[in-house]
Every structure is written in C-alpha cells, then in structure tokens.
Amino acid sequence: MLTLRRLLIISLFILSWCTAQARVQPTHGFDLFSSQEEVQAGQQAAAQVSQQLPLLPDDDPTTKYVQRLGQRLAEHAPGEKWPYNFHVVNQKEINAFALPGGVIFVNLGTIQAADNESQLAGVLAHEISHVVQRHGTRAASKQMAAQLPLALLGGMMGNSTLSRAAQLGISFGVGSYFLKNSRQAESEADLLGTDIMYDSGFDPHQMAVFFAKLQEQSGKQSAVAQFLSDHPDPGNRAGAVSQEVATLPTKKYQKDSSEFLAVKKQVGGLQPMTADQIAAWQKDRKSVV
Ligand code: ZN
C-alpha cells in the first residue's frame, strides 16, 4: 500500500515536472538595472504618466475589474514576482503599455474593442510578459552601453543605474522609446502571454485574433496605429500561438464572466478622449501649473 502511494506521488511529481517543462521560460539578457531599480524606475514613470494621461480613478468599477483580471493573470506569470498594478487610461485609441517593474496601463478604447474577455486578457497577458522579460530596462541598458563604455558608466556621478540613466536622458514615461518593442520582444511576449492565458483559463488563440483584428483595421482607423507601432507584428502571430498551445494538454476555456459583460455594457456608451483632446488637456494643465 505504501509502495503504491509512493508510486502515485512519484508519478504526480513527474507529471507536474513535465507540465512545468512545457511552459516557455523567460529569457535573460544584459540588464544594468537591479530588480529594486527596475521597480523604482517604473514607479517614477508611473507618477509622470498619471500627470500626463487622464486615468480613470482607482475605485472606478472598470478599473477595479481590470485590476482583478490583471492580478489573476499575473499570478501565473513566470519568473520574478513583480508588484503588478493595473490602470485604465480614459483614451479612445487602442493601446496598452507596461512600465518596468509591473505598472500596466490599458486604454478604455482597448476594452471597448475587445469582442470577448479572452481578448482583453490577451492584451494584459502580453503586457505582463513584457514586464517578466524586462524588455524596457534591457533596451535601455543596451542604449546606455552604446552611449558610453561600461567603464565610464560605472564611474559616472551617482551610485545607481537610475541616476546614470537620468544623466543620459533615459526615462520610461509616456512615449518613451524604451516602451516601443522590437519584433523579437513581441514574439517573446506572445509566447509567454500564451502560457499565462492558458494557465489562467483563457483561450490564448483570442490574443492572436485580437492582434489580427487590429492589423486588419489599421489601414482604416488611425485609432489602432499606436498599438501596432508600440507592439509591431513579429509575423505569423496566430501560427506561433497555435504551435505553443499544441504543446499543452487540451483544455476547456472559460466563457465571458458576468463581470466582463457588465463592464462591456458600461463602457459601450462612453466616449473616451482622443489623442488630440488629451494633447489639448495636457497643454491646459501645463498653463495652469
Ligand atoms: Zn508587445
């Protein structure tokens, strides 16, 4: 009896090990930022973003829902446990971006454009994956090393990478070059995002469906241009997602939650600000200050 139980435990262990092995592992690369500096850089940028973009309040029902959805997905993110935080920007254009260390912003227009909950979960899972891969600080580190030899970087005034980055004019705020992802970064975020969605019970194919929809509409609508410029198509997104899903056991995915349907209904009638309106709003705020 004991042997049988032991056998069962060993089988379960092997099974869970195999399942873990099937997941995409985060890649590592040259990064001058420590984890603590990464979080700090993200928080500094988040404070700027909240001044520069019209955010929905944290207690808004839509924000609260996005926070819950985001946290649920983040629980399945591999690698370091970053302090994830989610915000909704009252902006019409479809976009989402992630700051280093886990602060993620999604435009209201993205929620309006999502046909189902898995598509919205796909956008968030994709952004979480950029955080896991530390794409922002890795790109910034490359730039810092290109601007100055490492020996000089080490000798610059200030002790932290953050102050060195600031001296070189590197930041992660709105429109930062380091939040525009390369095609390689996109592929990595798609694959990690696929696993995160799968593990959270969402249909990963819907992430690729949403990206394809944006690609299709990009010719007709300028509202999607920003998203595709920040998250360029690495090519054959749908194929890559399907290939990754094929490595995982078949699973029944969840249907739209009643919470999602309620949020969709609520945001359907809203008219978020356009990029032009936000630019005028920013100008007004500056003149008041
Ligand atoms: Zn991306």
Side-chain angles (χ1 to χ4, degrees):
M1 195 62 195
L2 194 69
T3 323
L4 236 179
R5 189 184 290 173
R6 215 175 259 173
L7 207 66
L8 187 70
I9 291 170
I10 291 170
S11 317
L12 279 174
F13 176 76
I14 292 172
L15 187 73
S16 64
W17 185 78
C18 288
T19 317
Q21 289 304 302
R23 301 298 188 277
V24 176
Q25 296 303 310
T27 61
H28 298 281
F30 174 65
D31 198 333
L32 291 166
F33 293 74
S34 69
S35 302
Q36 204 189 352
E37 286 169 336
E38 177 133 6
V39 170
Q40 220 180 323
Q43 281 169 355
Q44 281 174 6
Q48 278 172 17
V49 171
S50 63
Q51 293 298 311
Q52 291 170 323
L53 294 178
L55 301 184
L56 294 189
D58 278 349
D59 61 354
D60 183 280
T62 303
T63 306
K64 280 168 115 175
Y65 161 72
V66 169
Q67 280 169 351
R68 275 195 292 274
L69 178 63
Q71 292 300 348
R72 179 177 155 192
L73 291 157
E75 274 170 30
H76 297 278
E80 199 155 336
K81 294 292 162 209
W82 299 101
Y84 290 97
N85 214 329
F86 300 84
H87 301 282
V88 179
V89 185
N90 184 25
Q91 183 167 356
K92 183 184 174 205
E93 285 80 7
I94 297 165
N95 205 6
F97 61 96
L99 298 178
V103 192
I104 291 171
F105 296 85
V106 60
N107 286 3
L108 194 56
T110 310
I111 305 171
Q112 290 177 322
D115 291 326
N116 54 53
E117 195 165 25
S118 290
Q119 290 186 0
L120 179 59
V123 171
L124 296 180
H126 179 96
E127 295 303 333
I128 289 169
S129 303
H130 280 309
V131 174
V132 171
Q133 294 281 14
R134 308 177 74 163
H135 282 144
T137 48
R138 278 164 70 178
S141 299
K142 243 190 219 170
Q143 176 70 29
M144 288 170 77
Q147 271 178 264
L148 285 172
L150 279 178
L152 253 179
L153 268 177
M156 278 177 78
M157 293 274 288
N159 299 321
S160 72
T161 303
L162 272 187
S163 55
R164 286 174 215 145
Q167 281 173 296
L168 293 172
I170 287 170
S171 71
F172 300 94
V174 176
S176 165
Y177 165 78
F178 304 103
L179 301 180
K180 296 190 186 304
N181 295 288
S182 66
R183 287 187 161 77
Q184 168 69 26
E186 284 304 291
S187 287
E188 291 176 356
D190 282 353
L191 285 183
L192 268 187
T194 297
D195 284 354
I196 293 173
M197 286 185 79
Y198 175 91
D199 288 331
S200 309
F202 293 104
D203 178 3
H205 296 103
Q206 288 300 321
M207 176 173 58
V209 171
F210 188 68
F211 279 110
K213 188 173 111 170
L214 296 186
Q215 203 77 41
E216 236 178 67
Q217 291 179 356
S218 62
K220 301 171 220 154
Q221 284 183 42
S222 59
V224 297
Q226 190 59 50
F227 190 87
L228 294 171
S229 137
D230 291 355
H231 303 277
D233 183 5
N236 196 20
R237 260 191 156 125
V241 169
S242 294
Q243 225 174 358
E244 175 58 18
V245 174
T247 67
L248 305 166
T250 314
K251 192 174 186 176
K252 208 164 176 250
Y253 302 116
Q254 76 150 61
K255 291 189 180 139
D256 289 347
S257 68
S258 54
E259 218 186 346
F260 171 77
L261 295 173
V263 163
K264 273 297 280 186
K265 204 169 164 192
Q266 201 204 330
V267 302
L270 298 179
Q271 291 212 313
M273 293 168 82
T274 63
D276 287 345
Q277 286 169 337
I278 291 172
W281 173 81
Q282 286 169 343
K283 234 172 150 186
D284 275 0
R285 279 169 70 98
K286 262 189 206 145
S287 62
V288 170
V289 175

